Amino acid sequence: MGNSGGAAAHSGIDFQQRVAALAMCHMLCDLADLSLLGLDGAVRVEELRFETEDEIDDLVLVGPGVRYFVQAKNTISVSAAPTSDFGSVLGQFVRQYVTDSRPGDVYLLATSTEASARVRRELRKLTEAARLSRSSSAELPLNGAERDVLEKTEGLVRAHYETATGRAITAVELREILARIRVSSLDVREGGSLESAALLMLSVRSAIGPRLLWGGLIALAVSLARDRLAIDAEGLRARMGKYVRDHPEPPGPGASGLLNRETVAGLAFGREVVLAEASFEGRELVIADFRRFDEAGAKRVTFADGHVEWAPGERWRVVGRWATWAGLERHLENRAEEYRDRRVLMIPATFTDDPSDAPAARAHAEHCANLAERVEDAFGCRHCGDAVSEAGAPLIEVDEEGRPEDIGLVHQECLRPTDRVLGGVDGELLRENPRLRNFDYAGWIAALQGGQWMFGGIARAQLPVARIAWKSEYDDFSRGGWCVRISLEDGGANYVTDRGRVARRSERRAAEGAERMNADFAAARRSGDPWCYTPDGSGFAPYSRLLRQGEEPIPCVRAKAVRYTQAIGEAYSDCRRYYAPLAYLVDAETGDPVVVDGVITLLTDPLELDSYVRNWARSGVELPAFTVAGILSDEQFDRFVRLAMTRGTNLVVNPKLALDGSLVSGYLLDVFEDLTRGAAPVL
């Protein structure tokens, strides 16, 4: 006999600890945005409590004036039984409200895509409605499935409340409990989108490989849960010890810490180390190390047009300029062959104190700290504007006649000889992914949450090759007050969506759309292959197609135009970005997207780039020198595809090729209108 119960229990424990590890990522990276956990508001988590004495005991996130009580369930379905998982979760929510209720408390049911759609959609809609609507729940427009979920949920809440207090719950108390409940579907499984986001976030703090640190956080969560302990942000940093850096490093949302006032003010601003070309005593190069400011606080030399001017008429062409001797040494080590036979004159420093402690140097450091505070994009190159994500990228001060003062990162190839190098950035992720040297990691992380919905659905269907229908006539400007609800054979319902969001239409358009769909539904039923949804609502196709994909299709019964509400939009809109983010290759010479045999390649995970490049090389694909850029919004994606199509260029996502160059896996992009005009219900 198989141990399916044990496997399910293990899966649930793993899910719970991965949710906890994701929360710890927020703490390590000092993030105030909890959107990765499906929560709104700018809250910085100060403490995590595991398996607490609270009624909701899986995990508690504590922030300034707010508590998030988390019940983590990998799989859960709606049930009227008080002893079911669903009944148990609601019982804990009720007892927490009765025994220790504070304003601002949130009761979070964290679940996965494997949970019942009744929980992820219908329950979510009902709890959203409780927060958004002042009317009673009985006045909300509900379909059969929503009414069933509401009746079971309210019945359990009433029963648990009476058991806990000995009296019946009031309507106000019932609504307050429902309003405190949040439902989040978190893809934290191995290889899931949120694990990918966590790995990128951890590169901010990781002194080792981000995957190793992620695994360490999961293991720590297991240990803390077993011993029923709590941990605050300081304790978390102490526990991770040598695996966590004291200061954030790129890439990630915490990257702006590189240019914070404290960091910049602590850099060396009182010394100049200059390597210059000059015919001096028979030498070709001169290395000069000297104080930057004189006793009156004035700069001792000036830099202009790539030269350093020592005195009127005495100008040397600058090869490089650094704030410290160590910076010069790194430069010489990296270019040892270039300087091997060059004759160099050394003009050493004569000071014994630290020039950066001089009053003029401290004042200049404060001035540069002010400059740094005005830099909006800490990891944008101060010269070309593109993202900087290469190991060893220089942190520089621009101090040259005729150029505005500035401070920040630059690409190695953008570095000017007169840029005063203050230091550089490094990180495991940057060293392991040198091809992504100009990649916008921070923008990618932000876009990944709630993104790539289309590709997640294809991955769940396990289709090695699929065609993606892109709508060239997509319209997201309509704010009509109506939408189309599709009733299902099992009593549930879905709403017509466009790019993962409930489509808002005028009453006339919604009614006409519902009428067309009903005609198509009737014709499909007569043919013996009805239109169906998958149980999680992510797939819509004929019964036979979904069956071949291993799904359990739920036939559509009827489409109807109904009033749009914010609760419907929140509960049945599956994503923020349908396609984005996606990465593409950029020709390093021309700056245009790389086109091979009339095809542009897009990738859903840029960290897997090396694997794709090796595969393409085996099939004979030759690539030019390239960098990698990101498409971070669906609006950018539309413009990108439209331009490519106009030029007669095809697009493919995540292509893996056989040795003969044929496509083994990947997603081909087609124009939706060409494929489906008049052929199927339009969703």
Side-chain angles (χ1 to χ4, degrees), residues 473-519:
E473 301 174 5
Y474 173 68
D475 169 24
D476 64 346
F477 296 103
S478 175
R479 291 295 180 267
W482 290 75
C483 56
V484 178
R485 183 175 69 207
I486 301 175
S487 301
L488 304 178
E489 191 176 80
D490 68 347
N494 274 317
Y495 289 79
V496 170
T497 60
D498 205 352
R499 296 195 175 181
R501 303 196 65 79
V502 174
R504 299 178 62 172
R505 299 171 177 170
S506 66
E507 182 178 7
R508 180 183 61 80
R509 284 187 62 203
E512 291 175 349
E515 183 178 353
R516 287 195 303 271
M517 295 186 75
N518 284 328

Side-chain angles (χ1 to χ4, degrees), residues 16-28 34 37 39 44-52 54 57-63 66-70 217-218 220-221 224-225 228-236:
Q16 178 180 328
Q17 307 319 332
R18 283 173 172 268
V19 171
L22 187 59
M24 285 192 276
C25 286
H26 284 76
M27 295 173 69
L28 278 179
L34 296 180
L37 290 166
L39 297 169
R44 190 165 270 104
V45 178
E46 298 174 340
E47 184 181 17
L48 292 180
R49 301 171 185 169
F50 293 78
E51 302 291 343
T52 68
D54 298 293
D57 60 358
D58 277 0
L59 183 68
V60 183
L61 284 63
V62 181
V66 66
R67 300 182 298 178
Y68 297 99
F69 295 89
V70 182
L217 291 177
I218 294 174
L220 178 58
L224 293 171
R228 296 178 174 271
L229 297 175
I231 192 167
D232 60 13
E234 183 178 352
L236 179 59

Side-chain angles (χ1 to χ4, degrees), residues 37-368:
L37 290 166
L39 297 169
D40 299 325
V43 176
R44 190 165 270 104
V45 178
E46 298 174 340
E47 184 181 17
L48 292 180
R49 301 171 185 169
F50 293 78
E51 302 291 343
T52 68
E53 297 299 322
D54 298 293
E55 295 296 339
I56 307 172
D57 60 358
D58 277 0
L59 183 68
V60 183
L61 284 63
V62 181
V66 66
R67 300 182 298 178
Y68 297 99
F69 295 89
V70 182
Q71 268 291 295
K73 298 290 183 183
N74 186 41
T75 59
I76 188 171
S77 57
V78 174
S79 170
T83 57
S84 66
D85 275 352
F86 187 69
S88 175
V89 167
L90 290 178
Q92 292 185 52
F93 290 171
V94 169
R95 289 190 295 273
Q96 184 65 44
Y97 178 82
V98 169
T99 60
D100 183 18
S101 176
R102 302 181 193 175
D105 281 353
V106 173
Y107 309 151
L108 175 64
L109 173 55
T111 188
S112 73
T113 54
E114 296 182 23
S116 163
R118 297 287 178 89
V119 173
R120 293 184 295 101
R121 294 194 169 196
E122 277 80 0
L123 180 63
R124 182 182 169 195
K125 174 188 174 181
L126 296 171
T127 58
E128 291 285 348
R131 287 191 297 280
L132 299 172
S133 174
R134 296 195 176 201
S135 63
S136 69
S137 57
E139 296 172 343
L140 294 172
L142 303 178
N143 59 43
E146 293 164 349
R147 192 172 298 107
D148 176 68
V149 173
L150 179 61
E151 290 173 355
K152 289 175 179 176
T153 301
E154 289 189 340
L156 287 167
V157 171
R158 293 178 190 278
H160 286 303
Y161 190 92
E162 187 165 353
T163 299
T165 65
R167 67 173 178 83
I169 192 171
T170 66
V172 173
E173 291 167 331
L174 176 61
R175 175 158 292 277
E176 177 62 21
I177 291 174
L178 291 178
R180 292 189 179 196
I181 297 174
R182 304 286 198 280
V183 180
S184 291
S185 180
L186 306 178
D187 185 11
V188 291
R189 73 190 192 286
E190 185 175 358
S193 61
L194 291 186
E195 184 185 66
S196 297
L199 293 173
L200 287 172
M201 284 197 304
L202 288 177
S203 64
V204 177
R205 294 286 183 182
S206 181
I208 58 175
R211 289 190 181 278
L212 292 176
L213 183 53
W214 172 245
L217 291 177
I218 294 174
L220 178 58
V222 172
S223 173
L224 293 171
R226 182 188 61 233
D227 298 332
R228 296 178 174 271
L229 297 175
I231 192 167
D232 60 13
E234 183 178 352
L236 179 59
R237 287 190 290 271
R239 287 290 294 266
M240 301 316 294
K242 62 182 179 180
Y243 305 121
V244 179
R245 300 181 188 274
D246 292 332
H247 300 288
E249 295 198 7
S256 59
L258 179 77
L259 290 180
N260 64 33
R261 171 174 288 277
E262 181 181 359
T263 300
V264 172
L267 297 174
F269 288 100
R271 185 177 185 178
E272 291 282 8
V273 181
V274 178
L275 174 63
E277 292 183 350
S279 297
F280 196 80
E281 297 184 2
R283 311 296 174 90
E284 302 170 88
L285 297 172
V286 174
I287 296 176
D289 182 5
F290 55 94
R291 293 181 186 274
R292 190 178 187 186
F293 301 96
D294 62 21
E295 293 181 356
K299 293 177 182 177
R300 300 179 63 193
V301 300
T302 59
F303 294 84
D305 299 324
H307 291 73
V308 56
E309 184 171 329
W310 297 93
E314 185 69 27
R315 300 173 76 239
W316 297 347
R317 193 177 74 82
V318 176
V319 176
R321 178 186 179 193
W322 297 269
T324 65
W325 188 262
L328 169 66
E329 288 182 330
R330 284 192 296 270
H331 172 80
L332 295 177
E333 289 172 3
N334 292 335
R335 302 190 179 189
E337 289 298 320
E338 180 181 341
Y339 295 114
R340 183 178 301 278
D341 299 322
R342 305 292 295 275
R343 292 171 297 171
V344 181
L345 173 67
M346 299 281 295
I347 304 178
T350 58
F351 45 80
T352 58
D353 60 333
D354 185 351
S356 293
D357 288 336
R362 291 201 301 270
H364 189 73
E366 187 69 18
H367 171 67
C368 288

Side-chain angles (χ1 to χ4, degrees), residues 586-614:
V586 178
D587 190 302
E589 181 179 349
T590 67
D592 294 329
V594 171
V595 181
V596 177
D597 295 332
V599 176
I600 293 175
T601 291
L602 304 173
L603 299 176
T604 58
D605 186 354
L607 297 185
E608 296 295 323
L609 174 61
D610 283 346
S611 172
Y612 284 100
V613 170
R614 288 193 297 270

